[in-house]
Amino acid sequence: MLGLMRQRYACLAVALAAVVLGGQITQPVMARRRPAEVANAAAQRDLVYKRVNGEVLTLDLYSPEKFSGPLPVIVWIHGGGWSRGRKERTPAVALVNDGYAVASIDYRLSSVAPFPAQIEDCKAAVRWLRANASKYNLDPDHIGVWGHSAGGHLAALLGTSGGVRELEGAGDNMSYSSRVQAVCDMSGPSDLVRLYQEASQSSADKSGKAMSAVAGLVGGSAEQNQTKAIAASPIHYVSKDDPPFLIIHGENDSTVPVTQAESFAAALKSAGVETMLEIAPARGHGAMGPRFRLMIKAFFDKYLKK
């Protein structure tokens, strides 16, 4: 009798452990794959914007259910150290209710292809949106871009590398421009050589992750691949014809130091580019919240709704 009770308790413990562990394992997967939703928005998912080396790249396009005239577009680029992340979760979708179409894109991760694959894909997405503007009721002359962390880096690179042939890639829609009209860069690195060097000299917990992410992007250490690290740095391409920038960065960001934002903003302003730098006091790498959403909306309204 005692042995039978022990056996039943053991089975119950195993079942409970399976439930708990199963929840811990499956919950992040479900959360990662759950697409963004917003009231009164129409979503068209997994639209193919590029095929490259046997891989199909897609975007999700959100638009208001009721609108008149072509919609200005905001392209959302996810973060994740260039090595992870997906298009399904996008805070930009909230701006659909403010009269925007939002395109959330996937791009080749660094585990699949090194730089410049990522920026080539982002540019291809912008060209695809222009090529299909009439089909989806988009305004091809008013396209903005917004990203966080690695996505902020790619958004900034889109903004400063307009017309840089080496980063355009190849494929369909090459007759269309990949330039954007406004950039919101949240917590993104702007100088990968400096980021790698400072991380290698730092004892901070997240410095190793920063070095690993940069190395993964450029195909090795930034010292050994300095030419590619420079080519991947938005600050390298700053010029007076760049679009307006809103740069938001946490004061206490230990992943991407705030100096990356400060030096980038200074370079843009020196070139005569309209630039707004917002340093979030006592905030880290995830500087988000209602105040910033209002700021971002006002920024895009100013430059995309003329």
Side-chain angles (χ1 to χ4, degrees):
M1 188 73 170
L2 182 60
L4 181 61
M5 291 177 65
R6 286 176 176 171
Q7 186 178 11
R8 287 178 177 175
Y9 280 128
C11 291
L12 179 60
V14 170
L16 288 172
V19 171
V20 173
L21 290 174
Q24 290 176 342
I25 293 170
T26 59
Q27 186 173 355
V29 174
M30 292 173 64
R32 184 177 68 245
R33 292 181 178 175
R34 186 177 63 190
E37 295 181 2
V38 65
N40 304 316
Q44 300 180 76
R45 307 193 192 282
D46 300 321
L47 299 174
V48 177
Y49 73 85
K50 182 178 181 180
R51 289 180 171 87
V52 56
N53 298 330
E55 186 169 357
V56 176
L57 298 175
T58 62
L59 59 82
D60 292 341
L61 185 63
Y62 304 87
S63 57
E65 289 182 345
K66 297 180 180 180
F67 60 91
S68 60
L71 294 165
V73 186
I74 296 173
V75 178
W76 168 258
I77 307 177
H78 70 76
W82 306 286
S83 64
R84 60 191 184 279
R86 290 180 60 86
K87 62 180 170 55
E88 279 75 13
R89 305 300 299 276
T90 165
V93 75
L95 292 178
V96 167
N97 286 332
D98 297 304
Y100 290 95
V102 171
S104 183
I105 71 172
D106 274 337
Y107 53 88
R108 282 174 289 173
L109 302 176
S110 58
S111 57
V112 174
F115 183 84
Q118 296 70 31
I119 189 60
E120 289 177 354
D121 297 345
C122 293
K123 286 174 176 283
V126 173
R127 291 195 300 267
W128 184 91
L129 290 166
R130 284 204 166 94
N132 292 274
S134 60
K135 180 178 180 179
Y136 296 104
N137 297 303
L138 309 176
D139 181 352
D141 298 323
H142 292 91
I143 298 179
V145 61
W146 175 13
H148 173 260
S149 191
H153 159 264
L154 292 171
L157 192 54
L158 261 179
T160 62
S161 69
V164 177
R165 185 176 300 177
E166 293 78 11
L167 301 183
E168 289 294 329
D172 299 332
N173 309 312
M174 295 303 294
S175 62
Y176 292 87
S177 172
S178 64
R179 288 182 179 270
V180 294
Q181 283 65 59
V183 177
C184 178
D185 166 13
M186 298 190 73
S187 308
S190 61
D191 185 339
L192 299 192
V193 175
R194 180 179 175 185
L195 176 65
Y196 190 92
Q197 290 173 342
E198 291 180 348
S200 66
Q201 298 166 3
S202 173
S203 59
D205 293 340
K206 296 184 179 180
S207 296
K209 291 183 178 180
M211 291 175 63
S212 177
V214 173
L217 180 68
V218 302
S221 70
E223 287 112 347
Q224 295 176 345
N225 296 271
Q226 191 172 73
T227 300
K228 185 172 282 192
I230 292 172
S233 298
I235 199 169
H236 176 66
Y237 303 99
V238 169
S239 61
K240 63 181 180 180
D241 63 344
D242 291 341
F245 268 77
L246 170 60
I247 302 172
I248 300 174
H249 213 105
E251 179 185 33
N252 297 333
D253 192 334
S254 59
T255 302
V256 179
V258 70
T259 52
Q260 289 275 314
E262 292 169 336
S263 59
F264 187 38
L268 288 165
K269 290 178 180 179
S270 179
V273 179
E274 295 182 63
T275 305
M276 179 179 176
L277 173 63
E278 179 69 17
I279 304 298
R283 298 294 292 272
H285 193 55
M288 295 288 282
R291 180 171 71 90
F292 300 115
R293 285 195 291 270
L294 289 173
M295 184 183 301
I296 292 166
K297 176 188 177 300
F299 170 75
F300 283 130
D301 284 350
K302 180 177 180 180
Y303 295 106
L304 299 183
K305 287 190 173 183
K306 291 182 179 180

